[in-house]
Amino acid sequence: MAAPIKFGVGQSVLRKEDDALIRGKGRYTDDLASSAALYALVLRSPHAHAKFTINVGQARLLPGVALILTADDVADLGGLPCLFNLETDPFTAPPYPILARDEVRHVGDAVAFVVADTLDHARDALEAIEVNWTTLPAVTGVANAVKPGAPQVWPDHPGNVLFDVSIGDRAAVDAVFAKAHAVAEIKIVNPRVVASFMETRAALCEYDVKRDHLTLTAGSQGSHRLRDILCQNVLKIPVEKMRVICPDVGGGFGTKLFPYREYALLAVAARRLRKSVRWAADRAEHFMGDAQGRDNVTIAKMALAEDGKFLALDVDLMGDMGAYLSTFAPYIPHGGAGMLPGLYDIQAFHCRVRTVFTHTVPVDAYRGAGRPEAAYVIERLVDACARKLEMGVDAIRRKNFIPPRALPYKTATGKVYDSGDFAAHLKRAMEIADWKEFPKRARQAKKHGLVRGIGLASYVEVCGTMGEETANVRLDPNGDVTVLIGTQSSGQGHQTAYAQIVAEQFGLSPERVHIHQGDTDEVATGLGTGGSASIPSGGVSVQRATHDLGDKLKQIAAEALEAGVGDLEISEGRVRVAGTDRAVSFADLARRPSVDPAKLNGSATFSSADGTYPNGTHVAEVEIDPATGITRIVNYVIVDDFGVTLNPLLLAGQVHGGAVQGIGQALMEQVVYSASDAQLVTGSYMDYALPRAADAPRFVFETHNVPCKTNPMGVKGAGEAGAIGSCPAVVNAIIDALWREYKVDHIDMPATPERIWIAIREQHRRHSL
């Protein structure tokens, strides 16, 4: 193969996707419905917990109404499944019905599905449905849900607990704590957030009467997973009876990976009416009907030696599941707990994990899926350890980092870190942030009535373990190359990244490499996109499939050029005899009449059981106005280890985007339910704050890459990393400012101006007594 070229791996190739998108030529789900498609709406519960009876008789008689479905009409359907269970302590998931029957369990619970010829007629019918509600007590927040006498979400799960399990060695941890020089302890809340993608969920379902076949178009993160779950678990039809197409997808962040009720309801409606039916969520439905993220309450303690060495870690974690179990929901806190030791050499570990039901929207994977929660816990706790022993936050980290010589290192939770130099990226991030000169900047800020703080977080995550991903790379008649793969881009830049992998081996410009994803008829298999696995798994598959195709093309060219295969090389879309001008183009090879079509296709499958462990350090510097509590991020540095960088531009975009999401959670984002009746208080962007451009700092981003030893390309997943290091870095910086000036050592996310102002005033009040 030819040497790397300007379009290959490691080059800052501009995104192929952007030209169509910035010209308004992107094709999203709601763009694809024909004018003849019927419109669907969902009737949702206004109550968090209530018994109900429903009468749709009058609504069915209204003009334009084609169909109204209630629970009785879809009684033959299966419920939405939970795809995770515990091997050691298996649990029984409560039903997650496609439409609620007799009882609703969260605001937004679906009770009816209306189909009409226009959106206005569908709305009229929705309003005409008669529902008699008998409200019941409701509970929000895991701390309230586990209290004796709390309202029960499910009668088969007393105390509202799905499972209560231990990870690690309780006895060993207790023994270490009993002899420890000191113990640092924190109790923190990781607030619930809304996955605020730009394109709301939408779907279109068409029915072919002759074939008895459904085509579902949806903005999902995985066409095959969506098809398989809907067919096998819900509709109970062969997978051959449904095609799923995922066109352009306007953001996902994990939340678009799951099956939802509307997709099954559209399939039922399309079959019964023998017409195309479309549905698109408005923002209110987005808040009430899509899985939400995070929502943990955690108590963490570290046993310390006198010199600052970490001896044992003990954690009590409660994760809110909401009212139903979404696809991977119980895995998020349980799997995330495995990353709690972070980058530190901690020999004794124990974590109690409880998953708890509340009368709220279900929770599931959101960018990072348990790893941001774990990083937030350990990095907040490490800073608390430093304050406890009056050590520098950098010094205590260096004291406890796993050294490079110890790699591969098996953590107390069984994770095996294969590569990295953790102290090196900490050092580099501090250098860029000019850490040593911070005291001068703090004094200068104080002259202007402001309080400065600086904080850091050194994170690690595990990713790239979704399973097998297969890529097919074929030569087209015009000499271009087409890649078929089952991952799904929702903004990450797959069209560009995969094209670079092909370009590096074939010397083709990215414009001549075409990526096809998101169609179960065209692509045979696929896992979709999640867990930062597309490049660590899909990229390896594409690389190997390209190599496979290259070998086959050399065999064809050897005959055409009357040369030995070993004498041939590929470059610039041609196969040539090395050291000569004798060559044959890809187009000529594709058109040779005697060529077996199978030799114009390369295929490869890759799966990594070990995963990859991206890691890095974030440094945030903040300025707080004590008169208002307003926080401004004045400096932000990121130094990451992603093993190998495929495209620096794409990588920076992913890291910047993830970091801004983390900043949003740290400073302003929080789903709020009323304590009395579990009403969704933050049900729109009038009440739920998102970061704007003015809230984002100017990022300084570098890599300090150490190639991954468990991945053939050396890469480590990068899609979620920015959201993992940012929350603890920002909050640690805020606490650093408050501790320096007011001896305030705790604040929970989101660290809103109100919370900071109250913390400062409360400290003043205490000292004035």
Side-chain angles (χ1 to χ4, degrees):
M1 296 295 173
I5 61 170
K6 63 180 180 179
F7 301 122
V9 170
Q11 304 303 308
S12 293
V13 177
L14 295 177
R15 285 168 48 103
K16 291 177 58 180
E17 299 88 335
D18 289 350
D19 182 71
L21 297 177
I22 63 178
R23 294 174 186 271
K25 294 182 179 180
R27 302 296 286 167
Y28 297 87
T29 299
D30 209 37
D31 296 324
L32 302 176
S34 71
S35 59
L38 301 173
Y39 290 82
L41 290 176
V42 180
L43 180 63
R44 300 184 182 278
S45 169
H47 303 288
H49 194 200
K51 294 284 188 179
F52 72 96
T53 59
I54 188 168
N55 184 344
V56 299
Q58 291 300 314
R60 281 178 170 146
L61 300 176
L62 291 178
V65 175
L67 180 70
I68 298 180
L69 299 174
T70 65
D72 288 341
D73 300 305
V74 293
D76 58 326
L77 300 185
L80 295 178
C82 174
L83 299 184
F84 170 77
N85 212 314
L86 296 171
E87 294 182 4
T88 54
D89 299 270
F91 56 82
T92 300
Y96 193 164
I98 298 302
L99 288 171
R101 180 190 297 276
D102 301 331
E103 186 173 348
V104 292
R105 290 179 168 83
H106 69 84
V107 170
D109 212 347
V111 298
F113 190 71
V114 173
V115 181
D117 59 351
T118 69
L119 203 54
D120 285 340
H121 282 155
R123 288 172 176 148
D124 290 343
L126 213 67
E127 293 176 2
I129 294 174
E130 299 175 8
V131 186
N132 292 313
W133 303 100
T134 303
T135 58
L136 300 169
V139 65
T140 67
V142 291
N144 295 322
V146 298
K147 289 179 180 178
Q152 295 297 289
V153 181
W154 294 100
D156 293 338
H157 293 280
N160 291 317
V161 174
L162 173 66
F163 62 74
D164 182 345
V165 297
S166 284
I167 302 171
D169 191 332
R170 166 87 273 174
V173 166
D174 286 346
V176 173
F177 270 85
K179 299 178 180 180
H181 168 74
V183 173
E185 179 175 347
I186 59 171
K187 180 179 180 180
I188 57 175
V189 175
N190 202 308
R192 181 181 288 228
V193 294
V194 168
S196 298
F197 31 73
M198 292 184 70
E199 179 207 19
T200 58
R201 280 194 307 112
L204 164 70
C205 195
E206 303 161 275
Y207 180 62
D208 185 327
V209 178
K210 292 182 179 179
R211 298 169 55 211
D212 184 29
H213 186 272
L214 295 159
T215 298
L216 178 71
T217 302
S220 171
Q221 290 176 231
S223 53
H224 296 84
R225 188 189 300 273
L226 179 55
R227 177 200 63 184
D228 294 351
I229 293 175
L230 287 175
C231 290
Q232 296 169 358
N233 299 93
V234 184
L235 300 173
K236 302 176 183 176
I237 61 175
V239 294
E240 295 79 14
K241 292 291 184 181
M242 176 179 279
R243 176 188 186 186
V244 174
I245 300 171
C246 296
D248 287 331
V249 180
F253 311 129
T255 305
K256 285 184 181 172
L257 186 61
F258 323 123
Y260 287 94
R261 291 161 151 173
E262 296 85 4
Y263 307 151
L265 291 165
L266 285 167
V268 171
R271 291 184 75 176
R272 293 193 184 184
L273 297 171
R274 302 190 173 193
K275 293 184 178 181
S276 298
V277 187
R278 65 191 295 178
W279 168 84
D282 61 21
R283 281 296 170 187
E285 285 188 288
H286 171 67
F287 277 80
M288 296 187 293
D290 293 359
Q292 297 175 349
R294 312 296 190 228
D295 208 346
N296 291 350
V297 175
T298 308
I299 299 172
K301 297 185 291 184
M302 188 80 80
L304 298 164
E306 190 172 0
D307 64 354
K309 189 75 178 71
F310 299 159
L311 302 176
L313 174 61
D314 188 25
V315 181
D316 188 324
L317 185 162
M318 289 193 289
D320 197 331
M321 298 289 96
Y324 302 103
L325 293 186
S326 186
T327 311
F328 303 111
Y331 172 76
I332 309 308
H334 187 271
M339 298 307 298
L340 280 166
L343 292 171
Y344 307 104
D345 178 20
I346 303 172
Q347 296 297 312
F349 171 84
H350 172 262
C351 180
R352 180 188 185 188
V353 182
R354 283 174 284 177
T355 48
V356 181
F357 290 111
T358 60
H359 289 108
T360 60
V361 173
V363 171
D364 210 318
Y366 171 70
R367 199 168 191 170
R371 290 100 78 198
E373 294 92 319
Y376 184 64
V377 170
I378 188 64
E379 290 304 292
R380 285 285 308 274
L381 181 58
V382 168
D383 268 29
C385 293
R387 285 190 295 273
K388 185 80 173 182
L389 297 179
E390 298 183 345
M391 291 180 67
V393 294
D394 56 323
I396 201 167
R397 284 174 170 82
R398 284 192 293 269
K399 179 78 175 179
N400 289 282
F401 276 152
I402 301 161
R405 66 178 181 276
L407 300 174
Y409 176 93
K410 187 174 184 179
T411 71
T413 61
K415 305 297 182 184
V416 180
Y417 302 161
D418 66 284
S419 58
D421 189 343
F422 315 137
H425 56 62
L426 170 68
K427 179 182 178 183
R428 180 57 183 154
M430 293 176 67
E431 287 173 353
I432 300 171
D434 199 10
W435 186 281
K436 290 182 179 180
E437 295 300 311
F438 170 78
K440 292 182 181 178
R441 298 193 294 275
R443 288 193 295 270
Q444 189 65 27
K446 193 168 185 178
K447 292 179 181 178
H448 296 90
L450 303 173
V451 180
R452 277 214 179 198
I454 192 167
L456 59 82
S458 296
Y459 76 92
V460 63
E461 64 155 326
V462 60
C463 55
T465 56
M466 291 280 285
E468 287 188 351
E469 192 63 69
T470 298
N472 287 281
V473 180
R474 75 181 183 214
L475 182 64
D476 297 330
N478 66 351
D480 287 0
V481 172
T482 294
V483 176
L484 297 97
I485 190 166
T487 56
Q488 177 64 49
S489 180
S490 57
Q492 299 95 327
H494 291 182
Q495 297 279 347
T496 306
Y498 290 144
Q500 285 183 255
I501 295 172
V502 176
E504 181 172 54
Q505 298 192 60
F506 286 171
L508 289 173
S509 69
E511 287 72 28
R512 293 186 61 191
V513 183
H514 313 287
I515 314 300
H516 289 199
Q517 305 180 78
D519 188 333
T520 57
D521 273 13
E522 185 177 20
V523 181
T525 63
L527 295 169
T529 290
S532 300
S534 290
I535 299 305
S537 294
V540 174
S541 298
V542 170
Q543 184 187 61
R544 290 180 172 180
T546 305
H547 187 82
D548 181 40
L549 175 59
D551 286 344
K552 292 175 179 177
L553 295 182
K554 284 184 179 180
Q555 293 171 12
I556 301 170
E559 180 181 339
L561 296 169
E562 297 181 345
V565 171
D567 297 326
L568 302 179
E569 64 181 15
I570 297 178
S571 66
E572 298 178 347
R574 295 184 296 173
V575 183
R576 76 168 70 243
V577 178
T580 75
D581 59 358
R582 293 177 59 215
V584 59
S585 71
F586 278 9
D588 288 339
L589 290 175
R591 289 193 292 263
R592 285 180 66 83
S594 60
V595 171
D596 178 358
K599 290 190 175 181
L600 301 179
N601 185 83
S603 181
T605 299
F606 178 73
S607 174
S608 174
D610 298 319
T612 70
Y613 292 89
N615 56 90
T617 295
H618 289 222
V619 175
E621 188 170 335
V622 301
E623 209 166 56
I624 299 172
D625 182 350
T628 63
I630 292 174
T631 297
R632 186 170 67 96
I633 300 174
V634 296
N635 189 19
Y636 203 107
V637 174
I638 305 170
V639 179
D640 282 321
D641 174 5
F642 293 126
V644 170
T645 298
L646 198 160
N647 182 317
L649 287 178
L650 293 180
L651 180 61
Q654 286 291 291
V655 172
H656 291 178
V660 172
Q661 281 185 278
I663 289 168
Q665 186 179 355
L667 296 180
M668 63 195 71
E669 293 189 53
Q670 182 178 23
V671 176
V672 176
Y673 291 92
S674 62
S676 59
D677 55 4
Q679 278 294 318
L680 180 59
V681 176
T682 52
S684 76
Y685 291 131
M686 293 292 288
D687 304 294
Y688 184 92
L690 280 181
R692 303 183 182 188
D695 299 306
R698 179 184 176 274
F699 294 105
V700 180
F701 168 57
E702 285 188 7
T703 55
H704 187 283
N705 289 334
V706 180
C708 178
K709 295 180 179 179
T710 61
N711 184 275
M713 292 180 66
V715 300
K716 304 171 184 178
E720 296 159 300
I724 296 173
S726 47
C727 286
V730 171
V731 177
N732 280 344
I734 292 170
I735 293 175
D736 177 69
L738 297 178
W739 176 255
R740 288 170 184 271
E741 190 68 21
Y742 308 108
K743 297 305 177 186
V744 172
D745 63 357
H746 175 77
I747 198 161
D748 271 320
M749 295 191 292
T752 61
E754 179 186 29
R755 285 185 173 177
I756 292 174
W757 187 87
I758 289 173
I760 293 171
R761 293 302 174 275
E762 178 63 19
Q763 196 72 357
H764 283 317
R765 186 191 65 81
R766 289 177 181 174
H767 286 282
S768 64
L769 293 177

